[in-house]
């Protein structure tokens, strides 16, 4: 797949405002965007570090993926997102390699990116998100 960089690291938090305060006051980062993603049942906050983002995820529904994650495992690193070119082709490639896909077709994620998840049972226990920014492409 040869991802170009880590697009973001997703961190599940119980209280978004408290977590934002930690990242701003202790780490000295600036939250540049807060967004609700209804399809994923999360409210997200973004910080930029180099070309990588930190995405804080607060669940808006206990039955959503982040709500269930926190219930089972508590707060913590939830997923790693890799920036790829031609996400559809990469999903095809992963499936051919025997990887279990959560999304066989990309969907829209936060910040308008095309995203798709690989199942953590196929990826050594870490939920992997592939993402592609098609907005700035001609
Ligand atoms: N990382 C690693 N393992 C995870 C996980 C995660 N983030 N989330 C769940 N799991 C594990 C569970 O611990 C569980 O393991 P065991 O069977 O060993 O107990 C197993 O996966 C199944 O978990 P579950 O709680 O029964 O949940 P589901 O099977 O219903 O769903 C998953 C798991 C990963 C398929 C689902 O959370 C999903 O589809 N995730 C992708 C979407 C998502 O996470 N969206 C939020 C972020 C959105 C954004 O970035 O904008």
């Amino acid at each position: 797949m040869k991802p170009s960089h880590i697009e973001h690291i997703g961190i599940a938090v119980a209280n978004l405002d408290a977590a934002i305060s930690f990242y701003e006051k202790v780490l000295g980062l600036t939250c540049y965007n807060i967004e609700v993603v209804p399809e994923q049942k999360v409210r997200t906050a973004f910080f930029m570090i180099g070309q990588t983002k930190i995405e804080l995820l607060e669940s808006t529904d206990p039955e959503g993926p982040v709500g269930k994650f926190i219930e089972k495992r508590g707060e913590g690193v939830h997923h790693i997102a890799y920036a790829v070119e031609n996400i559809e082709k990469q999903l095809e490639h992963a499936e051919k390699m025997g990887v279990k896909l959560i999304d066989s077709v990309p969907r829209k994620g936060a910040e308008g990116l095309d995203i798709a998840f690989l199942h953590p049972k196929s990826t050594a226990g870490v939920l992997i998100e592939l993402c592609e920014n098609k907005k700035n492409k001609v």
Side-chain angles (χ1 to χ4, degrees):
M1 288 189 190
K2 295 198 172 34
S4 56
H5 61 285
I6 292 180
E7 210 280 335
H8 66 265
I9 299 172
I11 300 174
V13 302
N15 181 317
L16 192 66
D17 298 331
I20 290 172
S21 176
F22 169 81
Y23 279 82
E24 290 199 322
K25 295 200 174 115
V26 181
L27 293 185
L29 301 174
T30 303
C31 174
Y32 70 88
N33 185 22
I34 295 180
E35 188 178 337
V36 175
V37 187
E39 305 77 34
Q40 301 287 327
K41 300 187 165 86
V42 289
R43 193 162 74 98
T44 62
F46 287 94
F47 304 82
M48 197 85 207
I49 306 180
Q51 54 176 342
T52 299
K53 296 163 193 157
I54 297 293
E55 178 186 26
L56 303 181
L57 301 152
E58 176 191 67
S59 183
T60 55
D61 178 341
E63 288 308 310
V66 171
K68 281 167 77 179
F69 178 88
I70 289 182
E71 169 73 24
K72 242 185 186 168
R73 299 176 165 220
E75 294 181 297
V77 174
H78 179 263
H79 66 268
I80 309 274
Y82 294 91
V84 296
E85 294 283 328
N86 199 342
I87 189 167
E88 291 84 0
K89 194 173 131 218
Q90 306 311 343
L91 287 171
E92 222 174 273
H93 167 71
E95 194 164 35
K96 274 195 194 130
M97 302 286 286
V99 174
K100 185 174 172 193
L101 307 181
I102 294 173
D103 303 294
S104 51
V105 176
R107 47 177 150 156
K108 285 288 172 205
E111 302 197 310
L113 300 183
D114 285 36
I115 66 165
F117 287 91
L118 310 182
H119 202 285
K121 293 289 177 199
S122 286
T123 60
V126 175
L127 177 61
I128 289 183
E129 177 180 339
L130 303 180
C131 56
E132 182 172 22
N133 186 351
K134 292 188 175 166
K135 285 180 300 185
N136 303 326
K137 291 182 185 164
V138 279

